Amino acid sequence: MAWTKQSLKKLVAERLSDYQFILVAQAEPYAHFYAKDSIKVQRGAGGVITAMEPIVKLIHGLWIAYGRGNADKAVVNESDRIRMPPVRSSYTLRRIWIAKRNVLGWYYGFSNQTLWPLSHSVFERPAFSKQDWDAYVEVNRQFADAALAESGEKKSIIWLQDYQLALASRMIRERNPDLIIGQFWHIPWPVADIFKVCPWAKDILEGMLGNQLIGFQRIAYCKNFLSSVAKTLEAKVDMDAMTVTYNNRITYVRAYPISIDYQAIASSSAKNKKFGKSYITRNLTGKYDFLSLGVERLDYTKGVLERIMAIDRFLEKYPEYIEKFVHLNILVPSRTLIKRYEELDRDVETLIENVNFKYATAHWQPIHVIKEALRPQLVNNFYKSANIAQVTSLADGMNLVAKEYVAAGPDDGVLILSDQTGAADELTDAIMVNPYDIEQLADAIKRALDMPKDERKARMQKMREVVAKQNVYRWAGKFLTDIVDLKTVPETLTQSDTKP
Ligand code: G6P
């Protein structure tokens, strides 16, 4: 069956209408900030928001998140709620307030300096701080308390998102064993020997086994997770059935490759006629024949430095593209209080300045940067104008930018895609690259530019068919169907099933 918005609506009406739907994520879809004489609303960046918002809108669910905007408190009601999105609201955002010392320990510390580098395995050493861990536990408890309070006595499905909330499912389950709880882990899970260096490996795994269902982007991450459990806990792990039995409870582990609202993005891109090459040349880049585009948070997992080195190599090897080729990178500032991110920002800037200095002519330079979070509509417009999109992450759970380019880009656009992304499993008609191999990246740009139009169109068409079918409604539909179908399983366990 091809999943659509309508089929997910039908599933919700037929099978989930008895349940209250509570999404729990660190990231809030919109934050409010004080501007001069007013309050401005800003959309958050990252894969969780991109993927989850269409689903929560459709289900009219409740989204619990950490209020990070300095005006967030000023706009909520007495129950810390606000209707969202700002225009044509359809769901409720419930904000929770986290003490600054805990934001430092939980978000900037354990989530983004321990679990983030640990999970991505990009040779970035994770920090292991007891103080950060304590904050992580405390904040997970806050999220669990909020989810329990919101579900009350009602039948609820609690859907936890990502690595910032690894402990919440167990904390919820201990106080209300009847709830349906599932979690989707949006980033990779490392191999077991890497994961086990974490001093709190056991607590994290036990924390996650409060879920009935844990979803990962790729089968390989499911296997890594199961091996981590087998090496760390006295649990029964069935690698074939992909289940863990622990403390008389069963947890299913499954791969659900996340996606985008293909139709919405494709039609929004088709509608905008005004934006285009002339806008870009006039406002941003000056003249060019070929536009290459990168879009990401400024994060060391994204391979931005390697991409710039490759552009340098490309122009060195193929100087005929001087004054013809331009690369535009949208870089969204992220986690800026962390030293490593601040260093990366400086390194990227210096490298770009060097490459631009090397090749610039009177009215042209090869690399341009927009350093801000743009509205999704505007990003779609950039996709539409790009001859090439480069998604060259060193490691990634999925990387929805690749799928967004397929939906919004031109009919003959070429995608250069890292073989380390989850999207590489599905978008096999991209030009696949090893993101660490500068020579290969440089040649991939040349290959994209040399590719005959017919081939470019045929490849793009095939990728569109894949993303149109494997869209975000299918992803959510499959996860929600499974979690409801599996909910009765723990009661059917026999004593012999549960022996380690
Ligand atoms: C990744 C993570 C998300 C996170 C997003 C943005 O996609 O998987 O959980 O929300 O990055 O990161 P930030 O730290 O800015 O919320």
Side-chain angles (χ1 to χ4, degrees):
M1 177 183 92
W3 280 90
T4 59
K5 206 173 188 168
Q6 281 62 36
S7 47
L8 185 61
K9 258 191 192 155
K10 193 160 170 265
L11 170 84
V12 172
E14 286 172 4
R15 302 212 47 207
L16 309 178
S17 59
D18 286 354
Y19 296 95
Q20 188 186 209
F21 182 81
I22 302 174
L23 180 100
V24 192
Q26 166 272 133
E28 57 176 349
Y30 298 89
H32 289 84
F33 292 95
Y34 286 108
K36 255 193 189 154
D37 302 318
S38 61
I39 289 181
K40 291 238 152 60
V41 59
Q42 193 188 78
R43 196 182 144 91
V48 172
I49 294 171
T50 307
M52 297 317 299
E53 211 199 4
I55 305 303
V56 181
K57 270 185 188 165
L58 183 145
I59 298 183
H60 306 299
L62 177 88
W63 185 322
I64 301 179
Y66 144 56
R68 72 186 169 93
N70 62 11
D72 274 3
K73 265 194 189 158
V75 296
V76 293
N77 68 13
E78 62 290 349
S79 332
D80 297 327
R81 289 154 183 248
I82 180 167
R83 294 288 293 161
M84 280 291 157
V87 180
R88 270 183 262 133
S89 60
S90 56
Y91 64 94
T92 299
L93 173 64
R94 153 85 200 274
R95 287 177 168 149
I96 65 170
W97 316 114
I98 298 176
K100 276 190 183 168
R101 70 180 161 81
N102 277 343
V103 173
L104 290 173
W106 157 71
Y107 174 79
Y108 288 106
F110 202 79
S111 295
N112 288 319
Q113 292 188 70
T114 308
L115 284 176
W116 180 264
L118 189 69
S119 300
H120 282 85
S121 319
V122 291
F123 312 106
E124 181 68 27
R125 192 183 169 133
F128 296 112
S129 141
K130 169 79 168 68
Q131 216 180 346
D132 287 352
W133 168 253
D134 290 343
Y136 187 82
V137 176
E138 212 175 309
V139 174
N140 269 255
R141 170 90 48 211
Q142 266 188 277
F143 275 97
D145 288 347
L148 282 157
E150 291 296 341
S151 70
E153 300 296 307
K154 287 176 242 151
K155 277 171 86 175
S156 303
I157 296 175
I158 302 201
W159 195 358
L160 303 165
Q161 305 298 319
D162 230 357
Y163 63 101
Q164 303 91 345
L165 300 174
L167 311 177
S169 71
R170 184 173 180 208
M171 293 169 170
I172 299 170
R173 170 86 55 223
E174 278 169 357
R175 285 171 43 206
N176 189 347
D178 297 329
L179 289 171
I180 298 184
I181 314 172
Q183 184 150 19
F184 191 76
W185 194 266
H186 292 254
I187 64 176
W189 190 276
V191 296
D193 282 341
I194 289 197
F195 183 72
K196 84 172 199 288
V197 304
C198 178
W200 301 280
K202 183 166 181 277
D203 310 69
I204 291 170
L205 293 170
E206 282 182 321
M208 289 177 73
L209 293 175
N211 288 296
Q212 274 120 330
L213 177 63
I214 302 175
F216 289 98
Q217 308 275 19
R218 312 174 95 170
I219 288 275
Y221 307 152
C222 297
K223 302 269 179 201
N224 288 349
F225 176 79
L226 291 165
S227 309
S228 294
V229 175
K231 284 200 176 175
T232 316
L233 300 179
E234 292 278 311
K236 182 180 158 194
V237 176
D238 186 329
M239 291 299 268
D240 296 324
M242 302 218 292
T243 57
V244 177
T245 309
Y246 189 63
N247 287 341
N248 285 352
R249 298 205 66 87
I250 191 162
T251 298
Y252 287 77
V253 180
R254 295 280 183 277
Y256 303 90
I258 204 167
S259 196
I260 55 164
D261 186 345
Y262 176 85
Q263 289 307 342
I265 295 181
S267 58
S268 120
S269 152
K271 261 184 235 147
N272 197 319
K273 302 269 185 273
K274 275 190 234 132
F275 187 98
K277 187 167 175 181
S278 60
Y279 174 92
I280 298 176
T281 53
R282 206 172 45 244
N283 296 297
L284 296 162
T285 62
K287 282 197 182 133
Y288 63 81
D289 291 343
F290 306 101
L291 177 70
S292 146
L293 180 72
V295 180
E296 52 245 314
R297 283 182 308 103
L298 189 44
D299 191 296
Y300 54 81
T301 60
K302 304 292 184 189
V304 181
L305 288 171
E306 289 74 5
R307 187 182 312 144
I308 297 161
M309 288 184 227
I311 292 170
D312 181 3
R313 181 70 186 123
F314 164 73
L315 291 170
E316 193 174 72
K317 229 172 148 178
Y318 308 106
E320 63 273 25
Y321 286 98
I322 288 176
E323 294 194 335
K324 296 205 166 89
F325 171 93
V326 153
H327 177 75
L328 177 65
N329 222 118
I330 299 172
L331 290 171
V332 182
S334 182
R335 305 172 192 171
T336 44
L337 296 191
I338 299 175
K339 193 163 154 260
R340 183 64 183 84
Y341 283 74
E342 190 203 310
E343 283 166 7
L344 175 73
D345 190 4
R346 262 184 283 126
D347 290 351
V348 167
E349 215 157 89
T350 311
L351 188 62
I352 292 177
E353 272 175 29
N354 274 282
V355 176
N356 278 342
F357 177 77
K358 199 164 154 188
Y359 299 101
T361 60
H363 301 289
W364 173 90
Q365 67 179 48
I367 304 176
H368 298 262
V369 170
I370 301 178
K371 214 187 272 176
E372 63 179 291
L374 301 177
R375 281 179 298 112
Q377 171 66 54
L378 198 51
V379 179
N380 289 346
N381 291 337
F382 280 109
Y383 288 136
K384 197 175 165 187
S385 302
N387 305 92
I388 303 176
Q390 298 205 48
V391 179
T392 56
S393 311
L394 305 181
D396 236 321
M398 174 51 66
N399 211 317
L400 294 178
V401 167
K403 295 185 175 182
E404 287 175 354
Y405 178 65
V406 167
D411 296 347
D412 61 349
V414 181
L415 175 65
I416 297 180
L417 184 61
S418 155
D419 60 8
Q420 296 297 309
T421 61
D425 295 344
E426 297 163 279
L427 302 180
T428 49
D429 279 287
I431 297 185
M432 222 55 87
V433 288
N434 167 355
Y436 289 92
D437 186 339
I438 307 297
E439 200 66 25
Q440 198 192 43
L441 288 175
D443 286 336
I445 301 173
K446 175 80 166 90
R447 200 177 143 206
L449 296 174
D450 285 348
M451 195 182 277
K453 189 165 185 170
D454 284 353
E455 183 180 348
R456 281 183 272 141
K457 282 179 116 173
R459 283 171 179 254
M460 182 53 93
Q461 184 50 33
K462 280 200 217 148
M463 292 194 285
R464 284 185 174 163
E465 281 160 21
V466 171
V467 185
K469 186 160 167 256
Q470 283 153 218
N471 57 50
V472 75
Y473 298 109
R474 176 179 189 264
W475 171 79
K478 286 196 174 284
F479 190 97
L480 292 171
T481 311
D482 284 354
I483 205 165
V484 175
D485 286 348
L486 298 173
K487 76 172 193 300
T488 51
V489 173
E491 288 137 34
T492 66
L493 279 182
T494 63
Q495 204 50 35
S496 62
D497 285 330
T498 61
K499 291 228 174 76

